[in-house]
Amino acid sequence: MRVVFVSYEVFPFAKVGGLADVAGTLPKYLEKQGVEVFIVMPKHRLVEKNAEKFDYDLKKVASDISASYVKTSEKFDIYESTLPGSNVKTYFVANEYYFSADDVYAGPDLGEQSIFFSAATLDLVKHLDLKPDVIHVNDWQTALIPVYLKTLYRDDPYFSKTATVLTIHNLGYQGVFDPKYLSFSGLPDYVFSIDGLEFYGQLNFLKGGIVFSDVINTVSPTYAEEIQTEEYGEKLDGVLRMRSKDLYGILNGIDYELYNPATDRRIYVNYDVNHLELKWENKVKLQEELKLPVKKETAVAGLISRLVPQKGLDLLLDIMDYLTLFDLQIVVLGTGDEYYESALRKFQEKYPDKVSVNIKFDVDLAQKIYTPALIYSSCPASTNRVALDRCSA
Ligand SMILES: Nc1ncnc2c1ncn2[C@@H]1O[C@H](COP(=O)(O)OP(=O)(O)O[C@H]2O[C@H](CO)[C@@H](O)[C@H](O)[C@H]2O)[C@@H](O)[C@H]1O
């Protein structure tokens, strides 16, 4: 089976959040199971910046291609690389005007950028003759691909056997834009209806994906249920209920190769199950680096997240004073809303011995925070597995 996996972010090429983790991992593991997978993503500025750090090459394989149907004179080039740690070919849609901002979600016009990328992906697939059985799109930035396929490409024999899957990683982001973007996309006017992309008078790209994909998936079985309720459905619960027989929830996994403390070069000291005492060293070095009191026995709680309302940060802020009553250090790594950034910073100023707030995006520091996870942190240093297990229970 051939799968084209389309995502706006893919680790390690360009990462903002959890979408990149899945997009950089799932294709690798599908490949191990014998699936022929290709990744398609935009060539963000970050993709070039990260090449040396993550040791991948980038080579141009095609130039000056038009994105069919889109009302623009912009053309795109195709670059190729291989997903590190795998043989998965990754193709990049390159266009200076749309994808040269420093941030993945910046640029001249996010609506136009995602339309251009979605349309260009289908031209790329044909140009490279990838002949996919499945095109797997992710979140709103790629959700128009099934809409193009079911409308303008409906009679194109090239895609007659291609099925589509939309994975919703985060229903909180839907890509809602002014209806004027419809003419830019070249999509037919009839898709702007209640049964299509229309959403309270606006265009909703994710809704388009939900309506036009063959199958819809999301990040856990529970989330698949929740998003069909009014409380968690973000105003799309009705449409999701209409598609409920095609809606699946497959629990996200973790990449055991990337998150392996025995081999991860980004942590302070490597360790494995036979040397768990080395976890202490990672914890102590983290305390040192973050200028927290170096105390082996003190539990360290880590939070690595985009600092936005949907992450439940208000719950944390409400109990921060209370948490500092315990023998606990709280380490936060994140960027996002100014409100959360400054509220967290204030707690660091108030409790410098207990709270470390790091307002930046730093995948290396993230790894160092994940490593000495709480589980053994208040246990005696020991190489005795049984004792450690008992202690963490
Ligand atoms: N400042 C920073 N520095 C370094 N790394 C940082 C960082 N901020 C965030 N990260 C990393 O980004 C990833 C997760 O980000 P978020 O917590 O913001 O989730 P997101 O909403 O993107 O995930 C969405 O997609 C995932 C994947 O499907 C779903 O599991 C989830 O429920 C859904 O909300 C983690 O790998 C985290 O370490």
Side-chain angles (χ1 to χ4, degrees), residues 9 15-22 139 167-170 173 219 223 252 259 304-308 310-311 333-335 358-366 370:
E9 24 169 320
K15 166 168 168 171
V16 175
L19 167 61
D21 292 330
V22 174
D139 280 350
T167 290
I168 301 170
H169 295 262
N170 196 330
Y173 303 92
V219 298
Y223 198 51
N252 274 338
Y259 289 83
I304 307 162
S305 179
R306 292 179 297 107
L307 303 177
V308 293
Q310 61 161 224
K311 297 298 180 191
L333 171 62
T335 56
N358 305 275
I359 305 294
K360 58 180 172 177
F361 192 88
D362 183 342
V363 286
D364 297 339
L365 180 57
Y370 282 132

Side-chain angles (χ1 to χ4, degrees), residues 255-287:
D255 185 338
Y256 293 117
E257 287 170 7
L258 270 184
Y259 289 83
N260 181 355
T263 53
D264 191 342
R265 274 184 276 151
R266 292 176 289 172
I267 65 174
Y268 302 103
V269 185
N270 290 114
Y271 63 92
D272 60 23
V273 71
N274 297 313
H275 301 90
L276 287 173
E277 72 282 0
L278 293 176
K279 272 187 154 197
W280 294 106
E281 263 185 65
N282 280 291
K283 175 169 161 177
V284 164
K285 292 224 159 60
L286 179 70
Q287 289 172 322

Side-chain angles (χ1 to χ4, degrees), residues 324-341:
T324 58
L325 299 175
F326 296 88
D327 185 18
L328 176 69
Q329 295 172 346
I330 299 159
V331 173
V332 180
L333 171 62
T335 56
D337 292 4
E338 169 56 33
Y339 168 77
Y340 293 113
E341 291 185 357

